[in-house]
Coordinates of all heavy atoms in Angstrom, one line a residue:
Q1340 N 24.1 49.3 34.5 CA 23.6 48.0 34.9 C 22.2 48.2 35.5 O 21.3 47.3 35.2 CB 24.5 47.5 36.0 CG 24.2 46.0 36.3 CD 25.3 45.4 37.2 OE1 26.4 46.0 37.4 NE2 25.0 44.3 37.8
I1341 N 21.9 49.3 36.2 CA 20.6 49.5 36.7 C 19.6 49.8 35.6 O 18.5 49.3 35.6 CB 20.6 50.8 37.7 CG1 21.4 50.4 38.9 CG2 19.2 51.2 38.1 CD1 21.6 51.6 39.8
T1342 N 20.0 50.5 34.6 CA 19.2 50.8 33.4 C 18.8 49.5 32.7 O 17.7 49.2 32.3 CB 19.8 51.8 32.4 OG1 20.1 53.0 33.2 CG2 18.9 52.1 31.3
Q1343 N 19.8 48.6 32.5 CA 19.6 47.3 31.8 C 18.6 46.5 32.7 O 17.8 45.8 32.2 CB 20.9 46.6 31.6 CG 21.8 47.1 30.5 CD 21.2 46.9 29.1 OE1 20.4 47.7 28.6 NE2 21.6 45.8 28.5
M1344 N 18.9 46.5 34.0 CA 18.0 45.7 34.9 C 16.6 46.2 34.8 O 15.6 45.4 34.7 CB 18.5 45.9 36.3 CG 17.8 45.1 37.3 SD 18.1 43.3 37.2 CE 19.8 43.3 37.7
M1345 N 16.4 47.6 34.7 CA 15.0 48.1 34.7 C 14.3 47.9 33.4 O 13.2 47.5 33.3 CB 15.1 49.6 35.0 CG 13.7 50.3 35.0 SD 13.9 52.1 35.2 CE 14.7 52.2 36.7
L1346 N 15.0 48.2 32.3 CA 14.4 48.2 31.0 C 14.4 46.9 30.2 O 13.7 46.7 29.2 CB 15.0 49.3 30.1 CG 14.9 50.7 30.7 CD1 15.5 51.7 29.7 CD2 13.5 51.1 31.0
L1347 N 15.3 45.9 30.6 CA 15.4 44.7 29.9 C 15.2 43.4 30.8 O 14.4 42.5 30.5 CB 16.7 44.6 29.2 CG 16.9 45.5 28.0 CD1 18.3 45.4 27.4 CD2 15.9 45.3 26.9
V1348 N 15.9 43.4 32.0 CA 15.9 42.2 32.8 C 14.6 42.1 33.5 O 13.9 41.0 33.4 CB 17.0 42.3 33.9 CG1 16.9 41.1 34.8 CG2 18.4 42.3 33.1
V1349 N 14.1 43.1 34.2 CA 12.8 43.0 35.0 C 11.7 42.8 34.0 O 10.8 41.9 34.2 CB 12.6 44.3 35.8 CG1 11.2 44.3 36.3 CG2 13.6 44.3 37.0
P1350 N 11.6 43.5 32.8 CA 10.5 43.2 31.9 C 10.6 41.8 31.4 O 9.5 41.1 31.2 CB 10.8 44.2 30.8 CG 11.5 45.4 31.4 CD 12.3 44.7 32.5
S1351 N 11.8 41.3 31.2 CA 11.9 39.9 30.7 C 11.4 38.9 31.7 O 10.7 37.9 31.4 CB 13.4 39.6 30.4 OG 13.8 40.3 29.3
L1352 N 11.7 39.2 33.0 CA 11.2 38.3 34.1 C 9.6 38.4 34.1 O 9.0 37.3 34.3 CB 11.7 38.7 35.4 CG 13.2 38.4 35.6 CD1 13.7 39.0 36.9 CD2 13.4 36.8 35.7
A1353 N 9.1 39.6 34.0 CA 7.6 39.7 34.0 C 7.0 39.0 32.8 O 6.0 38.3 33.0 CB 7.3 41.2 33.9
Q1354 N 7.6 39.0 31.6 CA 7.1 38.3 30.5 C 7.2 36.8 30.7 O 6.3 36.0 30.3 CB 7.8 38.7 29.2 CG 7.5 40.1 28.7 CD 8.3 40.5 27.5 OE1 9.4 40.2 27.3 NE2 7.6 41.3 26.6
L1355 N 8.3 36.4 31.3 CA 8.5 35.0 31.5 C 7.4 34.4 32.4 O 7.0 33.2 32.1 CB 9.9 34.8 32.3 CG 10.3 33.3 32.6 CD1 10.6 32.6 31.3 CD2 11.5 33.3 33.5
L1356 N 6.8 35.1 33.3 CA 5.8 34.7 34.2 C 4.4 34.8 33.5 O 3.5 34.1 34.0 CB 5.8 35.4 35.5 CG 7.1 35.3 36.4 CD1 7.0 36.2 37.5 CD2 7.2 33.8 36.8
T1357 N 4.2 35.6 32.5 CA 2.9 35.9 32.0 C 2.7 35.6 30.6 O 1.5 35.6 30.1 CB 2.5 37.4 32.3 OG1 3.5 38.2 31.6 CG2 2.5 37.7 33.8
Y1358 N 3.7 35.3 29.8 CA 3.6 35.2 28.4 C 2.6 34.0 28.0 O 1.7 34.2 27.1 CB 4.9 34.9 27.7 CG 5.2 35.8 26.5 CD1 6.2 36.8 26.6 CD2 4.5 35.6 25.3 CE1 6.4 37.6 25.5 CE2 4.8 36.4 24.2 CZ 5.8 37.4 24.3 OH 6.0 38.2 23.3
H1359 N 2.7 32.9 28.7 CA 1.9 31.8 28.4 C 0.4 32.1 28.7 O -0.5 31.5 28.0 CB 2.3 30.5 29.2 CG 2.1 30.7 30.7 ND1 3.0 31.5 31.4 CD2 1.3 30.1 31.6 CE1 2.6 31.5 32.7 NE2 1.6 30.6 32.8
I1360 N 0.1 33.0 29.6 CA -1.3 33.3 29.9 C -1.9 34.0 28.7 O -3.1 33.8 28.3 CB -1.4 34.2 31.2 CG1 -0.9 33.3 32.4 CG2 -2.8 34.6 31.4 CD1 -0.8 34.1 33.6
W1361 N -1.2 35.0 28.1 CA -1.7 35.7 26.9 C -1.8 34.7 25.8 O -2.8 34.7 25.0 CB -0.7 36.7 26.5 CG -0.6 37.9 27.4 CD1 0.4 38.3 28.2 CD2 -1.6 38.9 27.6 NE1 0.2 39.5 28.9 CE2 -1.1 39.9 28.5 CE3 -2.9 39.2 27.0 CZ2 -1.8 41.0 28.9 CZ3 -3.6 40.3 27.4 CH2 -3.0 41.2 28.4
G1362 N -0.9 33.7 25.6 CA -1.0 32.8 24.5 C -2.2 31.9 24.7 O -2.9 31.6 23.7
R1363 N -2.5 31.4 25.9 CA -3.7 30.6 26.1 C -4.9 31.4 25.8 O -5.9 30.9 25.2 CB -3.7 30.1 27.5 CG -2.7 28.9 27.8 CD -3.1 28.2 29.0 NE -2.0 27.3 29.5 CZ -1.3 27.4 30.6 NH1 -1.5 28.5 31.3 NH2 -0.4 26.6 30.9
A1364 N -4.9 32.6 26.3 CA -6.1 33.5 26.1 C -6.4 33.7 24.6 O -7.5 33.7 24.2 CB -6.0 34.8 26.8
A1365 N -5.3 34.0 23.8 CA -5.5 34.2 22.4 C -6.0 32.9 21.7 O -6.9 33.0 20.8 CB -4.2 34.6 21.8
D1366 N -5.5 31.8 22.1 CA -6.0 30.5 21.5 C -7.4 30.1 21.9 O -8.2 29.7 21.0 CB -5.0 29.4 21.9 CG -3.7 29.4 21.1 OD1 -3.7 30.1 20.0 OD2 -2.7 28.8 21.6
R1367 N -7.8 30.3 23.1 CA -9.1 29.9 23.6 C -10.2 30.9 23.6 O -11.3 30.6 23.2 CB -8.9 29.4 25.1 CG -7.9 28.3 25.3 CD -7.9 27.9 26.8 NE -6.9 27.0 27.1 CZ -6.7 26.4 28.3 NH1 -7.5 26.7 29.2 NH2 -5.7 25.5 28.5
M1368 N -9.9 32.1 23.9 CA -10.9 33.1 24.0 C -11.0 34.1 22.8 O -12.0 34.7 22.6 CB -10.7 34.0 25.3 CG -10.5 33.2 26.6 SD -11.9 32.1 27.0 CE -13.1 33.3 27.5
G1369 N -10.0 34.1 22.0 CA -10.0 35.0 20.9 C -9.0 36.1 20.9 O -8.5 36.4 22.0
K1370 N -8.6 36.6 19.8 CA -7.6 37.6 19.7 C -8.1 39.1 20.0 O -7.4 39.9 20.5 CB -6.9 37.5 18.4 CG -6.3 36.1 18.1 CD -5.8 35.9 16.7 CE -5.4 34.5 16.5 NZ -6.5 33.5 16.7
R1371 N -9.3 39.3 19.6 CA -9.8 40.7 19.7 C -9.9 41.1 21.2 O -9.5 42.2 21.6 CB -11.2 40.8 19.1 CG -11.8 42.2 19.1 CD -13.1 42.3 18.3 NE -13.7 43.6 18.4 CZ -14.4 44.1 19.4 NH1 -14.6 43.3 20.5 NH2 -14.9 45.3 19.4
P1372 N -10.5 40.3 22.1 CA -10.5 40.7 23.5 C -9.2 40.8 24.2 O -8.9 41.6 25.0 CB -11.3 39.5 24.2 CG -11.3 38.4 23.3 CD -11.2 39.0 21.9
V1373 N -8.2 40.0 23.7 CA -6.8 40.2 24.2 C -6.3 41.5 23.8 O -5.6 42.2 24.6 CB -5.9 39.0 23.6 CG1 -4.4 39.3 23.9 CG2 -6.3 37.7 24.3
M1374 N -6.5 41.9 22.5 CA -6.1 43.3 22.1 C -6.7 44.4 22.9 O -6.0 45.4 23.3 CB -6.4 43.5 20.6 CG -5.6 42.7 19.6 SD -5.9 43.2 17.9 CE -7.4 42.3 17.6
V1375 N -8.0 44.2 23.3 CA -8.6 45.3 24.1 C -8.0 45.4 25.5 O -7.6 46.5 25.9 CB -10.1 44.9 24.2 CG1 -10.8 45.9 25.2 CG2 -10.8 45.0 22.9
L1376 N -7.8 44.2 26.1 CA -7.2 44.2 27.5 C -5.8 44.7 27.5 O -5.4 45.6 28.3 CB -7.3 42.8 28.1 CG -8.7 42.3 28.3 CD1 -8.6 40.8 28.8 CD2 -9.4 43.1 29.4
A1377 N -5.0 44.3 26.5 CA -3.6 44.7 26.5 C -3.4 46.1 26.1 O -2.6 46.9 26.6 CB -2.8 43.8 25.5
G1378 N -4.3 46.6 25.1 CA -4.2 48.0 24.7 C -4.6 48.9 25.8 O -3.9 50.0 26.0
L1379 N -5.6 48.6 26.5 CA -6.0 49.5 27.6 C -5.0 49.5 28.7 O -4.8 50.5 29.4 CB -7.4 49.1 28.1 CG -8.6 49.4 27.2 CD1 -9.9 48.8 27.8 CD2 -8.8 50.8 27.0
G1380 N -4.4 48.3 29.0 CA -3.4 48.2 30.0 C -2.2 49.1 29.7 O -1.5 49.5 30.7
L1381 N -1.9 49.3 28.5 CA -0.7 50.1 28.1 C -0.9 51.6 28.4 O 0.1 52.4 28.4 CB -0.3 49.9 26.6 CG 0.3 48.6 26.3 CD1 0.4 48.4 24.7 CD2 1.7 48.5 26.8
V1382 N -2.1 52.1 28.5 CA -2.3 53.5 28.7 C -1.8 54.0 30.0 O -1.0 55.0 30.0 CB -3.9 53.8 28.6 CG1 -4.1 55.3 28.9 CG2 -4.4 53.5 27.2
P1383 N -2.2 53.5 31.2 CA -1.6 54.0 32.4 C -0.1 53.8 32.6 O 0.6 54.5 33.3 CB -2.4 53.2 33.5 CG -2.9 52.0 32.8 CD -3.1 52.4 31.4
V1384 N 0.5 52.8 31.8 CA 1.9 52.6 31.9 C 2.7 53.8 31.4 O 3.6 54.3 32.0 CB 2.3 51.3 31.1 CG1 3.8 51.2 31.0 CG2 1.7 50.1 31.7
A1385 N 2.2 54.4 30.3 CA 2.9 55.6 29.7 C 2.7 56.8 30.7 O 3.7 57.5 30.9 CB 2.2 56.0 28.4
I1386 N 1.6 56.9 31.3 CA 1.4 58.0 32.3 C 2.3 57.8 33.5 O 2.9 58.7 34.0 CB -0.1 58.1 32.8 CG1 -1.0 58.4 31.6 CG2 -0.2 59.1 33.9 CD1 -2.5 58.3 31.9
G1387 N 2.5 56.6 33.9 CA 3.3 56.3 35.1 C 4.8 56.7 35.0 O 5.4 57.1 36.0
W1388 N 5.3 56.6 33.7 CA 6.7 57.0 33.5 C 6.9 58.5 33.9 O 8.0 58.9 34.2 CB 7.1 56.8 32.1 CG 7.5 55.4 31.8 CD1 6.8 54.5 31.1 CD2 8.7 54.7 32.2 NE1 7.4 53.3 31.0 CE2 8.6 53.4 31.7 CE3 9.8 55.1 32.9 CZ2 9.6 52.5 31.9 CZ3 10.8 54.2 33.2 CH2 10.7 52.9 32.7
C1389 N 5.9 59.3 33.8 CA 6.0 60.8 34.2 C 6.5 61.0 35.6 O 7.1 62.0 35.9 CB 4.7 61.5 33.9 SG 4.1 61.5 32.2
F1390 N 6.2 60.0 36.5 CA 6.4 60.2 37.9 C 7.7 59.6 38.4 O 8.0 59.5 39.6 CB 5.2 59.6 38.7 CG 3.9 60.3 38.4 CD1 3.1 59.7 37.5 CD2 3.6 61.5 39.0 CE1 1.9 60.3 37.1 CE2 2.4 62.1 38.7 CZ 1.5 61.5 37.8
V1391 N 8.5 59.0 37.4 CA 9.8 58.4 37.8 C 10.8 59.5 38.0 O 11.1 60.4 37.2 CB 10.3 57.5 36.7 CG1 11.6 56.9 37.1 CG2 9.3 56.3 36.5
T1392 N 11.4 59.5 39.2 CA 12.5 60.5 39.5 C 13.6 59.7 40.2 O 13.5 58.5 40.5 CB 12.0 61.6 40.5 OG1 11.6 61.0 41.8 CG2 10.8 62.3 40.0

Side-chain angles (χ1 to χ4, degrees):
Q1340 193 171 344
I1341 294 174
T1342 304
Q1343 288 290 89
M1344 184 71 68
M1345 180 187 301
L1346 300 182
L1347 292 176
V1348 175
V1349 169
S1351 295
L1352 288 171
Q1354 289 181 324
L1355 183 65
L1356 296 174
T1357 59
Y1358 230 108
H1359 64 289
I1360 297 174
W1361 290 110
R1363 286 200 191 112
D1366 284 339
R1367 300 182 186 185
M1368 309 300 288
K1370 300 167 188 64
R1371 185 178 178 276
V1373 168
M1374 287 188 281
V1375 173
L1376 294 173
L1379 290 176
L1381 286 169
V1382 176
V1384 171
I1386 298 174
W1388 279 107
C1389 295
F1390 301 95
V1391 177
T1392 64

